[in-house]
């Protein structure tokens, strides 16, 4: 909230400092003061709907997000094509009054609408019922062990996210030294980069859930197998998206902007961005899996070292020392992601999964037999018992038959 408040009241000064002009700065200030409330709504929604992952309702959550995104896209397109512009523009006899501030207000109401719908539907289906007592009918702060675990887990994650987003803002300052066209291109590139992140984020979350599940169930071999298979799938997914981007790269640049200068700047970045997507996929998958091991502080340390100790210094040297253009900054980001992925993969390969499984169980105060989802392994145990019983029956039948045959031989003698 303090960070959102800072941007809500200081966006205009920052944009003016970047040399983007008074009109753009004024629009940015008005947009920021509305969109920060949308960020708050989406943050609360993420905190509530993450419980659906625990209840195996990821499909509903994914469908809700998909419908919300498509609905927001359709409404935005309709508004811009019919009434896009500012209040002082007149085209075709229509007063064009839809600007960034109006769009931010529309997005806020759409977020509220879908959040309320998802909340009411989840409550009606009973998916959130197991959590209502802890959410509204008890003082959760009294559970010192749970609060301690949440704080120890959340602080490194929050700091890591802050450092990651802070890196992007610092790089924006560096790019402002190059020129305003590069700043606009950097913003478009950030949107494209977010699409790549979304492509692997779901796989990373699924991998973290499976790894944590097996560690909590005292199944380190299953956790290791899930981690390695997830890394393989993540790399294949990154290669697929990069190949698709290389094929459609120039068309995507045309779709994103009608400005020829920005299109040319984006086209020049296609080879580097493609390589960056592969390294980013590797780093994000490793980040999720090592975090599922409970080693969030180690993840944060690696990210901080690679981001603030490598990416930012290399970018500063490229911009201020060597006078490189936007390619130098993007190249430094790729170097940072690649180094982070390498270090986190080394940590992952060298992990002692048996010891980590015991630590995870001790931290959460349960043994492997009492964790969520025990039915699946109970069924496996029943199947193994049936197999053992079957083998025993077969062995006994063989022994009986051998004894009977030996008895028959004695009688013949």
């Amino acid at each position: 909230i303090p960070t959102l408040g800072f941007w809500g009241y200081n966006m205009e000064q920052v944009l003016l400092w970047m040399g983007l002009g008074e009109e753009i700065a004024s629009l940015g200030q008005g947009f920021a003061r509305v969109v920060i409330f949308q960020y708050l709504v989406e943050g609360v929604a993420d905190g509530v709907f993450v419980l659906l992952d625990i209840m195996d309702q990821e499909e509903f959550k994914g469908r809700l997000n998909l419908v919300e995104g498509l609905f927001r896209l359709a409404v935005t397109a309709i508004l811009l094509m019919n009434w896009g512009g500012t209040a002082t523009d007149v085209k075709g006899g229509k007063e064009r009054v839809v600007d960034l501030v109006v769009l931010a207000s529309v997005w806020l109401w759409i977020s509220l609408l879908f959040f309320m719908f998802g909340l009411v539907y989840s409550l009606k289906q009973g998916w959130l019922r197991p959590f209502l007592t802890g959410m509204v009918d008890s003082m959760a702060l009294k559970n010192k062990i749970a609060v301690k675990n949440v704080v120890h887990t959340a602080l490194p994650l929050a700091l890591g996210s802050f450092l990651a987003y802070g890196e992007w803002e610092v790089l924006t300052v560096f790019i402002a030294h190059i020129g305003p066209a590069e700043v606009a291109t950097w913003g478009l590139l950030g949107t494209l980069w977010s699409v790549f992140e979304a492509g692997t984020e779901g796989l990373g979350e699924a991998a973290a859930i499976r790894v944590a599940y097996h560690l909590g169930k005292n199944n380190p071999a299953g956790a290791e197998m899930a981690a390695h298979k997830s890394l393989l799938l993540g790399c294949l997914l990154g290669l697929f998206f990069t190949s698709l981007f290389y094929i459609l790269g120039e068309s995507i640049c045309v779709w994103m902007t009608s400005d020829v200068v920005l299109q040319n700047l984006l086209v020049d970045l296609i080879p580097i961005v493609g390589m960056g997507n592969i390294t980013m996929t590797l780093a994000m998958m490793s980040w999720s899996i090592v975090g599922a091991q409970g080693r969030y502080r180690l993840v944060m340390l690696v990210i901080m070292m690679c981001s603030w100790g490598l990416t930012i210094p290399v970018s500063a040297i490229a911009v201020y020392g060597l006078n490189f253009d936007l390619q130098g900054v993007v190249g430094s980001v790729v170097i940072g992601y690649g180094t982070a992925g390498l270090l986190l993969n080394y940590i992952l390969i060298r992990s002692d999964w048996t010891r980590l499984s015991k630590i995870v169980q001790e931290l959460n105060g349960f043994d492997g037999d009492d964790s969520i989802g025990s039915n699946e392994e109970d069924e496996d145990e029943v199947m193994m018992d049936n197999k053992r019983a079957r083998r025993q029956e077969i062995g006994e039948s063989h022994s009986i038959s051998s004894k009977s045959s030996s008895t028959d031989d004695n009688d013949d003698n």
Side-chain angles (χ1 to χ4, degrees), residues 396-411:
E396 290 176 354
S397 63
H398 279 299
S399 63
I400 292 173
S401 61
S402 61
K403 288 180 181 179
S404 61
S405 62
S406 61
T407 303
D408 294 339
D409 293 339
N410 294 332
D411 292 340

Side-chain angles (χ1 to χ4, degrees), residues 21-44:
E22 295 184 359
E23 183 178 358
I24 295 177
S26 177
L27 284 173
Q29 182 69 75
F31 177 78
R33 288 181 177 177
V34 179
V35 80
I36 57 175
F37 294 101
Q38 183 202 359
Y39 289 164
L40 287 175
V41 173
E42 291 183 348
V44 175

Side-chain angles (χ1 to χ4, degrees), residues 58 200-212 226 230 285 288-289:
E58 301 92 342
T200 56
E201 184 178 1
L203 182 59
E205 291 182 357
I209 291 172
R210 296 306 301 173
V211 170
S230 299
M285 292 297 301
S288 300
I289 296 172

Side-chain angles (χ1 to χ4, degrees), residues 162-307:
F162 176 78
L163 292 175
Y165 285 102
E167 174 200 40
W168 197 266
E169 305 303 331
V170 172
L171 294 178
T172 304
V173 175
F174 293 168
I175 294 171
H177 176 76
I178 303 176
E182 283 75 9
V183 174
T185 306
W186 183 249
L188 295 174
L189 184 62
T191 302
L192 186 61
W193 212 279
S194 300
V195 175
F196 289 145
E197 288 182 355
T200 56
E201 184 178 1
L203 182 59
E205 291 182 357
I209 291 172
R210 296 306 301 173
V211 170
Y213 167 79
H214 286 297
L215 291 176
K217 289 291 295 179
N218 194 20
N219 184 17
E224 184 177 8
M225 182 181 297
H228 292 168
K229 287 186 176 181
S230 299
L231 277 177
L232 176 60
L233 291 175
C235 291
L236 293 177
L237 188 64
L239 290 172
F240 172 76
F241 280 121
T242 298
S243 302
L244 192 64
F245 179 63
Y246 281 158
I247 296 173
L248 302 175
E250 294 187 6
S251 299
I252 293 175
C253 297
V254 175
W255 298 339
M256 295 186 69
T257 177
S258 58
D259 191 292
V260 179
V261 176
L262 300 185
Q263 290 176 5
N264 293 331
L265 289 174
L266 285 173
V267 169
D268 294 338
L269 298 176
I270 289 177
I272 306 176
V273 173
M275 293 299 299
N277 179 53
I278 298 175
T279 58
M280 181 189 67
T281 301
L282 185 64
M284 287 183 63
M285 292 297 301
S286 304
W287 181 344
S288 300
I289 296 172
V290 176
Q293 295 177 342
R295 299 194 283 180
Y296 295 103
R297 294 183 180 180
L298 181 59
V299 173
M300 181 203 67
L301 179 62
V302 171
I303 296 299
M304 183 177 64
M305 289 173 54
C306 295
S307 176

